[in-house]
């Protein structure tokens, strides 16, 4: 157990070490080695005043008072807090706030920076600027206006032109879902001026990209994906400053979107193996990309670093990750057939797990997206898992061969 603050100050720990030890500083004092799971829905109160003061603190986004101040699990849970501490340290952030899903996290960020905020004159900040492409659920939420905000969608270099006096948030995702488009985070932050920038960092993870280091206000993860890594938990988390965390926790307390402690335990455990999983999955993805790029059935491969004329790798991102998108020469028919012809790739949405997945974004995750922004029907998305890359290539080879023969 590393609990010497002076060691951390004089010798910055590498991400692989942080991933194993972060969020575990209190375990020795508790007399345990594995992080405990606190499943209490309510907590005994030492007295009325202490309980009431702690309740008020947490309801307004603050922390519980010590010694009997947890009060109620909708407001705070120690297992969730340990995961948050670990994620925050990996993201070089003061704090992190965990939610019941990635969409709950995005919803909280929107509410905290639009309907819950106003400008110097008291006018509501009801406008958002968003750079496409985005995850289909995020795009749909922003486009729907469901949360009372109006969204202007634009290209990366158009952010400044679309800012308004009532703009409360800029939203980007890099690499973007599903075609792995890369956005220059620092350039967007410069365009945004004082408007907070939220970066969906799900595909990159804190191991490959740290948006806060580049000036972003929030780094959001669908922790369901790489952070959990095993396809058995739904969660979202946002790394940010303590000031921003307080605003997010207030929304979380009011809406009841706190992550369940069992999910937090699984995610905290997942952090420890995240570096080795990402290293292996990225290495395998690079091998699969090289093979796909030479296959006659493939018209185009989308992967971070391909056509990266701005040098965002390694300036912004420390590798391409393990997500791939492919445009097939024979169009939608080939894309549809591929999802059923593979044997090792599971045909399923989601990503970032230990097993490889394939899905058709236009028909599934991006189906609610406006037609002009929806990915092409000839595109499939691959999430590369921990299988041997040669076995994955063999699976894709037999599937693509079957498809081409059938097309003739």
């Amino acid at each position: 157990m590393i609990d010497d603050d002076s060691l951390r100050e004089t010798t910055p720990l590498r991400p692989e070490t942080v991933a194993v030890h972060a969020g575990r500083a209190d375990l020795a004092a508790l007399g345990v080695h594995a992080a405990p799971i606190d499943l209490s829905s309510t907590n005994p109160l030492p007295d009325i005043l202490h309980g009431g003061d702690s309740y008020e603190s947490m309801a307004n986004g603050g922390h519980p008072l010590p010694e009997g101040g947890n009060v109620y699990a909708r407001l705070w849970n120690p297992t969730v807090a340990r995961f948050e501490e670990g994620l925050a340290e990996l993201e070089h952030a003061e704090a992190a706030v965990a939610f019941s899903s990635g969409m709950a996290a995005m919803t909280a960020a929107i509410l905290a920076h639009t309907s819950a905020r106003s400008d110097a004159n008291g006018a509501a900040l009801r406008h958002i600027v968003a750079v496409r492409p985005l995850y289909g659920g995020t795009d749909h939420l922003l486009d729907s206006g469901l949360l009372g905000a109006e969204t202007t969608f634009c290209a990366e270099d158009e952010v400044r032109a679309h800012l308004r006096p009532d703009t409360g948030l800029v939203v980007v995702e890099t690499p973007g879902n599903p075609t792995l488009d890369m956005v220059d985070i620092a350039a967007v932050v410069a365009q945004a001026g004082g408007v907070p920038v939220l970066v969906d960092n799900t595909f990159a993870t804190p191991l490959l990209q740290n948006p806060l280091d580049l000036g972003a206000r929030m780094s959001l993860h669908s922790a369901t994906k790489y952070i959990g890594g095993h396809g058995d938990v739904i969660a979202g988390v946002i790394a940010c400053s303590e000031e921003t965390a307080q605003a997010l926790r207030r929304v979380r307390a009011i809406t009841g979107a706190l992550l369940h402690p069992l999910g937090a335990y699984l995610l905290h455990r997942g952090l420890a193996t995240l570096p080795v999983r990402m290293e292996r999955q990225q290495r395998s993805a690079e091998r699969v990309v090289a093979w796909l790029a030479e296959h006659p059935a493939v018209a185009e491969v989308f992967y971070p670093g391909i056509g990266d004329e701005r040098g965002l790798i390694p300036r912004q991102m420390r590798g391409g990750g393990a997500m791939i998108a492919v445009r097939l020469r024979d169009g939608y028919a080939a894309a549809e057939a591929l999802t059923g012809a593979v044997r090792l790739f599971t045909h399923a949405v989601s990503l970032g797990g230990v097993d490889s997945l394939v899905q058709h974004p236009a028909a599934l995750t991006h189906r609610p997206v406006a037609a002009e922004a929806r990915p092409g029907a000839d595109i499939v998305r691959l999430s590369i898992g921990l299988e041997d890359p040669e076995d994955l290539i063999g699976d894709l080879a037999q599937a693509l061969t079957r498809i081409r023969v059938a097309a003739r």
Side-chain angles (χ1 to χ4, degrees):
M1 178 63 64
I2 297 176
D3 56 7
D4 185 350
D5 290 338
S6 64
L7 174 62
R8 291 179 182 270
E9 292 171 3
T10 59
T11 309
L13 300 178
R14 293 172 176 81
E16 294 81 359
T17 304
V18 172
V20 172
H21 291 277
R24 291 171 166 82
D26 66 333
L27 299 192
L30 294 172
V32 299
H33 181 65
I37 308 174
D38 188 332
L39 294 173
S40 301
S41 61
T42 192
N43 301 87
L45 304 175
D47 58 66
I48 291 176
L49 292 179
H50 188 84
D53 289 345
S54 191
Y55 189 101
E56 183 176 9
S57 172
M58 291 184 289
N60 287 295
H63 296 269
L65 300 183
E67 301 189 24
N70 285 357
V71 185
Y72 189 54
R74 177 170 57 83
L75 306 173
W76 188 270
N77 177 273
T79 306
V80 175
R82 288 189 192 94
F83 164 63
E84 291 172 336
E85 291 169 11
L87 190 283
E89 192 163 348
L90 276 176
E91 275 283 26
H92 311 158
E94 290 180 348
V97 184
F99 296 85
S100 54
S101 70
M103 289 306 299
M106 180 63 73
T107 296
I110 293 170
L111 291 174
H113 290 84
T114 55
S115 61
R117 292 181 64 228
S118 58
D119 62 19
N121 298 316
L125 300 176
R126 298 290 191 185
H127 181 243
I128 297 170
V129 174
V131 176
R132 279 172 166 159
L134 296 164
Y135 164 58
T138 301
D139 193 298
H140 183 51
L141 176 64
L142 292 171
D143 197 33
S144 71
L146 180 65
L147 301 179
E150 175 190 354
T151 300
T152 300
F153 294 98
C154 68
E156 172 187 342
D157 59 356
E158 299 172 337
V159 170
R160 180 181 287 110
H162 291 290
L163 295 178
R164 305 189 326 206
D166 64 339
T167 303
L169 185 65
V170 174
V171 177
V172 303
E173 179 175 358
T174 182
N177 189 348
T179 46
L180 291 304
D181 300 47
M182 294 187 71
V183 174
D184 188 329
I185 296 172
V188 169
V189 170
Q191 291 184 71
V195 178
V197 174
L198 178 150
V199 176
D200 187 328
N201 200 28
T202 298
F203 278 18
T205 83
L207 273 299
L208 298 180
Q209 185 169 263
N210 300 112
L212 273 61
D213 291 348
L214 301 166
R217 188 75 59 89
M218 290 171 282
S219 178
L220 180 148
H221 299 269
S222 173
T224 307
K225 313 305 193 291
Y226 286 104
I227 292 174
H230 292 76
D232 53 9
V233 60
I234 298 288
V237 63
I238 298 176
C240 54
S241 68
E242 176 57 34
E243 180 182 5
T244 298
Q246 184 167 337
L248 293 171
R249 285 193 294 260
R250 181 172 178 268
V251 175
R252 185 180 69 179
I254 292 171
T255 59
L258 182 78
L259 173 63
H260 190 277
L262 180 57
Y265 168 81
L266 292 171
L267 295 172
H268 197 186
R269 187 177 67 169
L271 287 183
T273 61
L274 179 60
V276 293
R277 287 188 282 110
M278 282 303 301
E279 180 181 11
R280 171 60 185 272
Q281 288 170 269
Q282 177 175 275
R283 190 165 64 243
S284 294
E286 291 168 348
R287 173 74 184 94
V288 175
V289 164
W291 180 84
L292 285 168
E294 300 298 323
H295 198 284
V298 175
E300 187 175 6
V301 179
F302 304 91
Y303 183 72
I306 295 178
D308 181 23
E309 298 176 354
R310 296 175 294 177
L312 294 179
I313 296 177
R315 176 166 58 89
Q316 172 174 295
M317 191 176 170
R318 297 179 289 275
M323 296 299 301
I324 307 168
V326 178
R327 187 187 304 279
L328 297 174
R329 292 193 186 280
D330 294 329
Y332 171 74
E336 180 186 28
L338 178 63
T339 63
V342 287
R343 297 164 180 161
L344 294 179
F345 288 80
T346 299
H347 181 203
V349 299
S350 198
L351 57 103
V354 295
D355 61 317
S356 296
L357 306 178
V358 60
Q359 72 115 344
H360 187 267
L364 292 159
T365 54
H366 289 69
R367 189 171 189 141
V369 175
E372 67 273 14
R374 196 177 303 148
D378 54 355
I379 291 176
V380 293
R381 193 189 72 186
L382 305 174
S383 173
I384 303 301
L386 291 178
E387 302 94 341
D388 188 291
E390 299 308 317
D391 290 335
L392 295 177
I393 287 171
D395 188 28
L396 290 169
Q398 65 82 22
L400 291 171
T401 297
R402 288 169 59 193
I403 291 168
R404 300 222 88 184
V405 168
R408 296 192 190 102

